[in-house]
Amino acid sequence: MTKAGEDRLIKWQRKQGRVIESGILTEQAGVFAHRVTDQRLIDRYRVRGNITQRQWEAGDRLYQTWYSAGRSPVQVVGMTVRVDGGGAKREMSEHQALCWSSFAAALKSLPYSAQSLIVDVCLHEVKVAEHTKRVGRGRDGGMYGLSLSLDFLADHYGMPRA
């Protein structure tokens, strides 16, 4: 793609609301890369200013713990042929068990009403408005509830307040 084409693509993506960092240096001399910084829903909330950096770090840490515990959907399935006809057992490793207990402790530290909101937004990519509509709460307190819940989570992780 030509430089002019890249510039038009970036302008179009920015017009669509995508946030792109330009000018990231690569290994090749004189070659610049572009990185989209709002891939997940919680990233977009941070970029828009709906949540603080501390709140984002707490939500991201919860996501990383959940992902390390093996709770995300399996992207690739092993296709080995088995003689006995049984499927392979998926046992939890020691690291996964540690991550799972850390994840469970983080959720238990939150108030019950905040748990479902945090899980929906941070892990399952459900918008705050959709979550509040589904649980039957008014739309007004949704983003405030997310900020408060992420503050509780950051306190659990011992993150310093700014």
Side-chain angles (χ1 to χ4, degrees):
M1 180 180 286
T2 64
K3 179 69 175 153
E6 279 186 30
D7 290 342
R8 281 195 305 272
L9 178 64
I10 290 170
K11 279 184 183 178
W12 179 80
Q13 287 178 333
R14 284 190 177 141
K15 205 180 281 186
Q16 299 300 316
R18 303 301 305 230
V19 178
I20 299 170
E21 288 181 10
S22 297
I24 302 165
L25 294 176
T26 60
E27 296 295 321
Q28 287 182 305
V31 176
F32 289 94
H34 304 288
R35 181 177 59 171
V36 177
T37 59
D38 61 346
Q39 292 290 81
R40 295 182 298 152
L41 187 61
I42 194 167
D43 298 337
R44 281 178 252 159
Y45 288 149
R46 179 180 55 109
V47 169
R48 291 178 192 158
N50 294 338
I51 61 175
T52 63
Q53 180 69 24
R54 177 180 184 258
Q55 293 166 344
W56 177 83
E57 288 174 2
D60 188 56
R61 185 167 172 184
L62 183 73
Y63 177 82
Q64 296 300 331
T65 306
W66 176 72
Y67 188 84
S68 297
R71 296 300 171 209
S72 65
V74 178
Q75 301 294 330
V76 179
V77 178
M79 301 299 285
T80 59
V81 177
R82 294 187 50 102
V83 177
D84 62 357
K89 293 183 181 178
R90 290 201 53 165
E91 294 182 10
M92 195 177 281
S93 69
E94 186 177 329
H95 175 71
Q96 285 178 320
L98 183 65
C99 288
W100 177 246
S101 63
S102 173
F103 173 74
L107 282 184
K108 285 181 184 175
S109 72
L110 298 173
Y112 182 74
S113 60
Q115 290 177 5
S116 65
L117 177 62
I118 290 288
V119 167
D120 277 353
V121 173
C122 294
L123 308 181
H124 301 302
E125 300 290 318
V126 175
K127 293 181 182 176
V128 173
E130 291 174 16
H131 171 81
T132 54
K133 185 177 179 182
R134 189 188 57 180
V135 296
R137 294 193 187 116
R139 183 184 163 139
D140 296 336
M143 195 55 73
Y144 178 72
L146 178 65
S147 310
L148 205 58
S149 303
L150 287 170
D151 275 334
F152 286 138
L153 191 60
D155 290 339
H156 167 74
Y157 286 132
M159 295 178 175
R161 291 186 180 263

